[in-house]
Amino acid sequence: MKLFITGIGTDVGKTIASAIITQALESDYWKPIQAGDLDNSDSHKIQKYISNDKTIIHPNSYKFATAASPHLAASNEGITIDIKKIKEPKTTNHLVIEGAGGLLVPLNNTDCIVDIIQNDYKVLLVSRHYLGSINSTLLTFEALKNRKIPLAGIIFSGNVNKASEEIILAKTKARFIGRIEEEPYFDANVIQQYADEFRENLLKL
C-alpha cells in the first residue's frame, strides 16, 4: 500500500500524521521534496518519532535550503524541478509519501504537488481545525475530484470539533482515519499510542 499524505495547507500536521502512519504500518517513508530545515527536515523528524526497526527512510528527490514554496526554493539555487526526476523508491514494504504544503503548491511553472500523485497512491488528507478550515478542506477535496483522484481518508488535527468534522465527512464521504489532539509534545511514545489507535482504520483502506 502506498499512502500519499497531503494537507489543507502548511503546518497542519502532515509530518506528525506521517509519523503515526509510518509507525502504525511499520512502513517506509519518503518525502520527495524538502524545502528548508535541512538540519531538522521532515525525514529527520520521522526518524526521531518512530520506534520500529523495519522502516527505511528514503532520500529526498529534491532538497533546498530555503523554507519556501518548492518552485521558489529551487529557483534560488538555480534549479528547475523536473517531476520526471521524482522517482518513487523501490520497496516491498508499505510506503508513506509526504507532500509539501497543500495540493496546489507549485513545483515549477507547470506542475504542482498534486501532479506527483500516482494512480496507485491512496490519498489521505490532514485537516486542521481553524475558522475557515471547512472551506479549505472541501476545496482540497474538489481539487482531487476534478483530477479524478479519490480521497481515501481524512485525519483531523486539533481538538475535537464535531460540527466541522461531521459536515466534512458527510460531503467528502471519505473514511475517518483518526484525530490528532493538541498534545503538549510529541515523542516516540505518543506517536506509538496514536499508531495503535489508527492502525485498524488504515488497514481497511
Side-chain angles (χ1 to χ4, degrees):
M1 183 161 54
K2 300 171 186 176
L3 298 172
F4 188 92
I5 316 304
T6 191
I8 62 172
T10 303
D11 295 329
V12 297
K14 289 190 306 298
T15 301
I16 291 296
S18 295
I20 291 167
I21 297 164
T22 298
Q23 181 63 23
L25 301 177
E26 297 186 335
S27 67
D28 285 6
Y29 171 86
W30 178 44
K31 174 93 173 185
I33 302 167
Q34 175 73 37
D37 296 326
L38 296 185
D39 293 329
N40 186 32
S41 69
D42 291 341
S43 295
H44 287 107
K45 292 170 186 172
I46 297 294
Q47 185 67 68
K48 179 178 70 174
Y49 287 139
I50 63 170
S51 52
N52 76 83
D53 57 5
K54 294 182 181 178
T55 294
I56 294 173
I57 297 175
H58 297 276
N60 312 115
S61 296
Y62 286 97
K63 55 184 178 181
F64 307 107
T66 305
S69 173
H71 82 288
L72 176 59
S75 178
N76 286 347
E77 298 184 21
I79 294 170
T80 298
I81 294 174
D82 181 353
I83 64 170
K84 293 178 182 176
K85 293 183 179 179
I86 300 175
K87 297 190 181 296
E88 177 190 306
K90 293 181 180 179
T91 178
T92 56
N93 195 5
H94 297 303
L95 180 64
V96 169
I97 305 132
E98 182 180 351
L103 286 179
L104 297 184
V105 167
L107 303 180
N108 51 46
N109 288 341
T110 305
D111 305 304
C112 296
I113 286 292
V114 69
D115 294 304
I116 66 175
I117 297 176
Q118 302 299 309
N119 291 335
D120 58 343
Y121 292 179
K122 295 181 184 295
V123 176
L124 299 183
L125 177 61
V126 180
S127 175
R128 183 168 183 79
H129 294 314
Y130 57 80
L131 186 62
S133 65
I134 296 174
N135 181 65
S136 299
T137 304
L138 296 181
L139 282 172
T140 301
F141 171 66
E142 289 294 331
L144 288 168
K145 188 165 69 170
N146 185 54
R147 292 170 181 255
K148 296 181 172 53
I149 300 172
L151 177 58
I154 290 181
I155 294 167
F156 292 109
S157 175
N159 293 330
V160 61
N161 185 323
K162 287 187 178 180
S164 291
E165 294 172 14
E166 287 173 359
I167 194 65
I168 287 168
L169 292 172
K171 285 185 171 292
T172 63
K173 296 181 172 53
R175 180 181 295 278
F176 170 64
I177 303 300
R179 182 186 303 104
I180 304 168
E181 303 285 351
E182 293 283 3
E183 300 288 351
Y185 64 89
F186 286 96
D187 62 11
N189 289 329
V190 175
I191 293 297
Q192 181 64 62
Q193 291 171 9
Y194 277 103
D196 291 339
E197 291 177 15
F198 282 31
R199 186 175 296 109
E200 183 177 352
N201 284 336
L202 289 168
L203 291 173
K204 289 177 181 177
L205 292 172

